[in-house]
Coordinates of all heavy atoms in Angstrom, one line a residue:
L1 N -26.1 -63.6 -134.1 CA -24.9 -63.0 -134.6 C -24.1 -62.1 -133.7 O -23.1 -61.6 -134.1 CB -25.2 -62.3 -135.9 CG -25.9 -63.2 -137.0 CD1 -26.3 -62.3 -138.2 CD2 -24.9 -64.2 -137.5
G2 N -24.7 -61.7 -132.6 CA -24.0 -60.8 -131.7 C -23.9 -59.4 -132.4 O -24.8 -59.0 -133.1
D3 N -22.7 -58.8 -132.3 CA -22.5 -57.5 -132.8 C -22.5 -57.5 -134.4 O -22.7 -56.4 -135.0 CB -21.1 -56.9 -132.4 CG -21.1 -56.5 -130.9 OD1 -22.3 -56.3 -130.4 OD2 -20.1 -56.5 -130.3
M4 N -22.3 -58.6 -135.0 CA -22.3 -58.7 -136.5 C -23.8 -58.4 -137.0 O -23.9 -58.1 -138.2 CB -21.9 -60.1 -137.0 CG -20.4 -60.2 -137.0 SD -19.9 -61.9 -137.6 CE -21.1 -62.3 -138.8
A5 N -24.8 -58.6 -136.1 CA -26.2 -58.5 -136.6 C -26.5 -57.1 -137.2 O -27.3 -57.0 -138.1 CB -27.1 -58.7 -135.4
Y6 N -25.8 -56.1 -136.7 CA -26.1 -54.7 -137.1 C -25.6 -54.4 -138.6 O -26.2 -53.6 -139.2 CB -25.5 -53.7 -136.2 CG -26.0 -53.9 -134.8 CD1 -25.2 -54.5 -133.8 CD2 -27.2 -53.4 -134.3 CE1 -25.6 -54.7 -132.5 CE2 -27.6 -53.6 -133.0 CZ -26.8 -54.3 -132.1 OH -27.3 -54.4 -130.8
D7 N -24.6 -55.2 -139.0 CA -24.0 -54.9 -140.3 C -24.4 -56.0 -141.3 O -23.8 -56.0 -142.4 CB -22.5 -54.8 -140.2 CG -22.1 -53.7 -139.3 OD1 -22.7 -52.6 -139.3 OD2 -21.1 -53.9 -138.5
T8 N -25.2 -56.9 -141.0 CA -25.6 -58.0 -141.9 C -26.9 -57.8 -142.6 O -27.7 -57.1 -142.1 CB -25.7 -59.3 -141.0 OG1 -24.4 -59.6 -140.4 CG2 -26.0 -60.5 -141.9
L9 N -27.0 -58.3 -143.8 CA -28.2 -58.2 -144.6 C -29.0 -59.5 -144.3 O -28.4 -60.6 -144.0 CB -27.9 -58.1 -146.1 CG -27.2 -56.8 -146.5 CD1 -26.8 -56.8 -147.9 CD2 -28.1 -55.6 -146.2
Y10 N -30.3 -59.4 -144.6 CA -31.2 -60.5 -144.3 C -32.2 -60.7 -145.4 O -32.6 -59.7 -146.1 CB -32.0 -60.3 -143.0 CG -31.1 -60.0 -141.8 CD1 -30.6 -58.8 -141.5 CD2 -30.7 -61.1 -141.0 CE1 -29.8 -58.5 -140.4 CE2 -29.8 -60.9 -139.9 CZ -29.4 -59.6 -139.7 OH -28.5 -59.4 -138.6
L11 N -32.8 -61.9 -145.5 CA -34.0 -62.1 -146.3 C -35.2 -61.6 -145.5 O -35.3 -62.1 -144.3 CB -34.2 -63.5 -146.7 CG -33.2 -64.1 -147.7 CD1 -33.5 -65.6 -148.0 CD2 -33.2 -63.3 -149.0
E12 N -36.0 -60.8 -146.0 CA -37.1 -60.3 -145.2 C -38.0 -61.5 -144.8 O -38.5 -62.2 -145.7 CB -37.9 -59.3 -146.1 CG -39.1 -58.7 -145.3 CD -39.7 -57.6 -146.2 OE1 -39.9 -57.7 -147.4 OE2 -40.1 -56.6 -145.6
P13 N -38.3 -61.6 -143.5 CA -39.2 -62.7 -143.1 C -40.6 -62.5 -143.6 O -41.1 -61.3 -143.8 CB -39.2 -62.5 -141.5 CG -38.0 -61.7 -141.2 CD -37.8 -60.8 -142.4
D14 N -41.3 -63.6 -143.9 CA -42.7 -63.5 -144.3 C -43.5 -62.9 -143.2 O -43.2 -63.0 -142.0 CB -43.3 -64.9 -144.5 CG -42.7 -65.6 -145.8 OD1 -42.3 -64.8 -146.7 OD2 -42.6 -66.8 -145.8
E15 N -44.6 -62.2 -143.5 CA -45.4 -61.5 -142.6 C -46.0 -62.4 -141.5 O -46.2 -62.0 -140.3 CB -46.6 -60.7 -143.3 CG -46.1 -59.5 -144.0 CD -47.2 -58.8 -144.6 OE1 -48.4 -58.9 -144.2 OE2 -47.0 -58.0 -145.6
D16 N -46.3 -63.6 -141.8 CA -46.9 -64.5 -140.9 C -45.9 -65.4 -140.1 O -46.2 -66.3 -139.4 CB -47.9 -65.4 -141.5 CG -47.3 -66.3 -142.6 OD1 -46.1 -66.0 -143.0 OD2 -47.9 -67.3 -143.1
S17 N -44.6 -65.1 -140.3 CA -43.6 -65.9 -139.6 C -43.2 -65.2 -138.3 O -43.3 -64.0 -138.1 CB -42.3 -66.1 -140.5 OG -41.7 -64.9 -140.8
T18 N -42.7 -66.0 -137.3 CA -42.2 -65.5 -136.0 C -40.9 -66.2 -135.7 O -40.6 -67.3 -136.1 CB -43.3 -65.9 -134.9 OG1 -43.4 -67.3 -134.8 CG2 -44.6 -65.2 -135.2
P19 N -40.1 -65.5 -134.9 CA -38.8 -66.0 -134.5 C -38.8 -67.4 -133.8 O -37.9 -68.2 -133.9 CB -38.1 -65.0 -133.7 CG -38.8 -63.7 -134.0 CD -40.2 -64.1 -134.4
D20 N -39.9 -67.6 -133.1 CA -39.9 -68.9 -132.3 C -40.3 -70.1 -133.2 O -40.1 -71.2 -132.8 CB -40.9 -68.8 -131.1 CG -42.3 -68.5 -131.6 OD1 -42.5 -67.8 -132.6 OD2 -43.2 -68.9 -130.9
K21 N -40.7 -69.9 -134.4 CA -41.1 -71.0 -135.3 C -40.4 -71.0 -136.7 O -40.5 -72.0 -137.4 CB -42.6 -70.9 -135.6 CG -43.5 -71.2 -134.3 CD -44.9 -71.1 -134.7 CE -45.8 -71.3 -133.5 NZ -47.2 -71.2 -133.8
H22 N -39.7 -69.9 -137.0 CA -39.2 -69.8 -138.3 C -37.7 -69.3 -138.3 O -37.2 -68.9 -137.2 CB -40.0 -68.8 -139.1 CG -41.4 -69.2 -139.3 ND1 -42.4 -68.8 -138.4 CD2 -42.0 -70.0 -140.2 CE1 -43.5 -69.3 -138.8 NE2 -43.3 -70.1 -139.9
I23 N -37.0 -69.4 -139.4 CA -35.6 -69.1 -139.5 C -35.4 -67.7 -140.1 O -36.1 -67.4 -141.0 CB -34.9 -70.1 -140.4 CG1 -34.9 -71.5 -139.7 CG2 -33.4 -69.7 -140.6 CD1 -34.4 -72.6 -140.6
L24 N -34.5 -67.0 -139.4 CA -34.1 -65.7 -140.0 C -32.9 -65.9 -140.9 O -31.8 -66.3 -140.4 CB -33.8 -64.7 -138.9 CG -33.3 -63.3 -139.3 CD1 -34.3 -62.6 -140.2 CD2 -32.9 -62.5 -138.1
W25 N -33.0 -65.8 -142.2 CA -31.9 -66.1 -143.1 C -31.1 -64.8 -143.2 O -31.5 -63.8 -143.6 CB -32.5 -66.5 -144.5 CG -33.3 -67.7 -144.4 CD1 -34.7 -67.8 -144.6 CD2 -32.8 -69.0 -144.2 NE1 -35.0 -69.1 -144.5 CE2 -34.0 -69.9 -144.3 CE3 -31.6 -69.6 -144.0 CZ2 -33.9 -71.3 -144.1 CZ3 -31.5 -71.0 -143.9 CH2 -32.6 -71.8 -143.9
D26 N -29.8 -65.0 -142.8 CA -28.9 -63.8 -142.9 C -27.8 -64.1 -144.0 O -27.6 -65.2 -144.4 CB -28.2 -63.6 -141.5 CG -27.3 -64.7 -141.1 OD1 -26.2 -64.7 -141.6 OD2 -27.7 -65.5 -140.2
F27 N -27.2 -63.0 -144.4 CA -26.2 -63.1 -145.5 C -24.8 -63.2 -145.0 O -23.9 -63.1 -145.8 CB -26.4 -61.9 -146.4 CG -27.5 -62.0 -147.5 CD1 -28.7 -62.4 -147.1 CD2 -27.2 -61.8 -148.8 CE1 -29.7 -62.5 -148.1 CE2 -28.2 -61.9 -149.7 CZ -29.4 -62.2 -149.4
S28 N -24.6 -63.5 -143.7 CA -23.3 -63.6 -143.2 C -22.4 -64.6 -143.8 O -21.2 -64.5 -143.8 CB -23.3 -63.7 -141.7 OG -23.9 -65.0 -141.3
E29 N -23.0 -65.7 -144.3 CA -22.2 -66.8 -144.9 C -22.5 -67.0 -146.4 O -22.3 -68.1 -146.9 CB -22.3 -68.0 -144.1 CG -21.7 -67.8 -142.7 CD -21.8 -69.1 -141.9 OE1 -21.8 -70.2 -142.5 OE2 -21.7 -69.0 -140.7
V30 N -23.2 -66.1 -147.1 CA -23.5 -66.2 -148.5 C -22.2 -66.1 -149.3 O -21.4 -65.2 -149.0 CB -24.5 -65.2 -148.9 CG1 -24.7 -65.2 -150.4 CG2 -25.9 -65.5 -148.3
M31 N -22.0 -67.0 -150.2 CA -20.9 -67.0 -151.1 C -21.3 -66.7 -152.5 O -22.2 -67.3 -153.0 CB -20.1 -68.3 -151.0 CG -19.6 -68.6 -149.6 SD -18.8 -70.2 -149.3 CE -18.4 -70.8 -150.9
A32 N -20.5 -65.8 -153.2 CA -20.8 -65.6 -154.6 C -20.3 -66.8 -155.4 O -19.2 -67.3 -155.3 CB -20.0 -64.3 -155.1

């Protein structure tokens, strides 16, 4: 997300997940 990363909300990753194998779900495109 570049600079947007600092102001975005996320779903907390599972404890056993890692960035190289799992997705970081961010709220940048969530629609009500």
Side-chain angles (χ1 to χ4, degrees):
L1 299 172
D3 289 339
M4 282 182 29
Y6 303 100
D7 299 321
T8 301
L9 296 172
Y10 304 87
L11 290 180
E12 184 175 37
D14 290 329
E15 288 184 21
D16 61 345
S17 63
T18 60
D20 60 328
K21 295 181 181 177
H22 300 92
I23 296 172
L24 177 61
W25 300 107
D26 66 78
F27 276 51
S28 64
E29 296 185 21
V30 169
M31 296 176 16

